Amino acid sequence: MRHARVEGYDLIGDVHGCGATLAVLLERLGYHQRDGVYRHPRRKAIFVGDLIDRGPRIRLAVRIARRMVEDGQAHVVLGNHEINALTYTLKAPPELGREWLRPHTPRHNRIIKETLEQYHDHPQEWDDTLAWFRDIPLFLEFDDFRVVHACWDQTLITQLRRQYPDGRIDTDFLYRASTPGSDEFRILERLTRGGSINLPEGVVIHSGDGFTRRSFRTHFWARCPSTWGDVVFQPDNLPNGLERQPLSDRERAKLSYYAPDERPLFIGHYWCEGVPALPAPNIACLDYSAVKYGRLVAYRYSFEPQLDADRFVWVPVPRDAAARPEPREIDFD
């Protein structure tokens, strides 16, 4: 994909329904609303996915991003939470033996609860939003840089492109992806959720987001990893000294790898904490736990060959919901 008369792109991390904070971040980046759309005279925005779930202003977050994308002021890629919404609302084929493609378990219900509540009185808007999600690609590849929600795995992206050259999947793909072990399952899992390694039997992580996990997320830029600690990438520590656990040959074979000579890559997904930093010289993670009262983060990319941590821009998210900044002059309802 080539650029059309822009000086650069502002890559924006997982919003998760912090719509008012998103408006503040855009204004800090020099975007101003005109005719209901945030615009910049010389730049465009790119959202790395996970616009929905958990936050207090989900409809606003989606409306801001969607208006920008449809007006040509921004791009967006699918996050796992948009995929969750699509599969949660799709009836499953009879052979799966369940009603919905994404089962309505207590855990899945909890994840999407705020989204469904905020759209409850706006059913047509929710249907329109789901239709828009179906038109969002899984990845973006420009001449100078790449964007994916969780993990750039070149082998899987090449495989995906054979049938979906622009990364825009369809309902048939989602049906096929509901079968663990299928090619579609592996593609969707890796690109929108990243890699993971199962914990030993009986060992769990009580995560900061309130869930109990039996696996941990792995990153994909360690050249020759030898232990679990070399690839763990999440705010929760591994219990019981498991950082020293050697990687098995099977675990190592399943890891993705993004080499340092690849073009810059922008991701979200991983619930980072603290002051934004580059996990690798050519990789910027933009998810800094905004909805957990962290930071809503952007990276101001101007085609520099070497990424620079000084180009991160962020807005802290107030802990008191009543203190959350309100967007100015947004024609929302």
Side-chain angles (χ1 to χ4, degrees):
M1 187 183 298
R2 297 185 179 276
H3 321 292
R5 298 186 300 279
V6 293
E7 290 184 0
Y9 291 88
D10 298 308
L11 290 295
I12 296 174
D14 303 36
V15 179
H16 276 307
C18 297
T21 307
L22 173 59
V24 173
L25 177 62
L26 286 167
E27 292 194 358
R28 181 166 295 181
L29 292 167
Y31 292 75
H32 299 288
Q33 194 186 176
R34 190 173 73 250
D35 300 326
V37 178
Y38 278 95
R39 310 168 189 273
H40 193 286
R42 298 174 302 277
R43 304 180 66 83
K44 291 186 179 182
I46 300 178
F47 299 94
V48 302
D50 281 6
L51 297 170
I52 63 169
D53 292 343
R54 297 192 171 111
R57 302 294 298 277
I58 294 166
R59 290 174 58 223
L60 178 60
V62 171
R63 183 72 64 88
I64 289 173
R66 181 178 176 182
R67 287 182 174 181
M68 292 180 71
V69 171
E70 291 180 343
D71 197 69
Q73 306 302 314
H75 301 280
V76 62
V77 297
L78 282 170
N80 58 299
H81 283 258
E82 284 79 40
I83 294 292
N84 290 349
L86 288 171
T87 53
Y88 188 94
T89 55
L90 273 176
K91 290 283 189 176
E95 59 268 24
L96 286 183
R98 59 178 185 260
E99 184 175 4
W100 302 98
L101 206 56
R102 180 173 169 84
H104 290 192
T105 63
R107 182 179 187 275
H108 295 168
N109 294 342
R110 175 183 168 188
I111 290 171
I112 201 171
K113 177 177 180 289
E114 287 87 355
T115 298
L116 296 181
E117 287 180 350
Q118 291 175 42
Y119 279 99
H120 181 269
D121 295 329
H122 309 273
Q124 186 58 56
E125 185 181 344
W126 178 231
D127 288 345
D128 291 344
T129 296
L130 290 170
W132 180 58
F133 289 169
R134 294 186 192 101
D135 196 45
I136 295 175
L138 281 171
F139 64 89
L140 292 169
E141 184 165 26
F142 294 82
D143 294 340
D144 310 276
F145 67 103
R146 295 165 170 156
V147 186
V148 71
H149 182 64
C151 175
W152 189 278
D153 186 303
Q154 188 61 59
T155 299
L156 294 178
I157 287 176
T158 299
Q159 185 176 354
L160 173 66
R161 273 183 159 148
R162 294 191 188 112
Q163 188 171 356
Y164 302 94
D166 61 0
R168 288 176 167 84
I169 58 177
D170 55 22
T171 301
D172 288 340
F173 183 98
L174 293 175
Y175 285 146
R176 296 193 298 271
S178 67
T179 302
S182 67
D183 291 343
E184 291 82 3
F185 177 88
R186 293 188 302 111
I187 290 168
L188 208 56
E189 190 77 7
R190 185 57 54 97
L191 270 57
T192 67
R193 298 179 186 276
S196 64
I197 290 177
N198 291 329
L199 292 166
E201 185 71 28
V203 177
V204 299
I205 294 173
H206 298 290
S207 180
D209 60 4
F211 293 106
T212 298
R213 304 188 187 279
R214 292 172 174 80
S215 63
F216 65 91
R217 291 171 172 170
T218 59
H219 68 69
F220 49 93
W221 48 85
R223 186 185 297 273
C224 298
S226 59
T227 67
W228 285 5
D230 291 337
V231 295
V232 63
F233 191 54
Q234 58 185 33
D236 307 297
N237 293 325
L238 291 178
N240 305 327
L242 287 175
E243 290 89 352
R244 298 186 296 275
Q245 172 79 16
L247 282 163
S248 68
D249 291 342
R250 184 170 179 270
E251 289 167 344
R252 190 179 289 106
K254 290 172 64 177
L255 294 170
S256 301
Y257 178 58
Y258 198 80
D261 57 351
E262 297 278 2
R263 70 192 78 172
L265 172 67
F266 298 91
I267 58 174
H269 187 61
Y270 291 97
W271 296 100
C272 297
E273 296 177 341
V275 176
L278 298 171
N282 60 334
I283 299 175
C285 182
L286 301 167
D287 180 8
Y288 275 79
S289 308
V291 78
K292 293 195 293 183
Y293 312 111
R295 296 170 168 89
L296 184 57
V297 172
Y299 183 96
R300 308 218 75 180
Y301 179 66
S302 299
F303 311 115
E304 62 272 11
Q306 183 83 22
L307 296 183
D308 181 354
D310 289 339
R311 292 180 178 266
F312 284 113
V313 177
W314 62 83
V315 174
V317 181
R319 179 168 293 275
D320 182 358
R324 292 175 186 265
E326 289 294 318
R328 296 184 296 179
E329 299 178 3
I330 288 186
D331 175 19
F332 181 48
D333 288 310

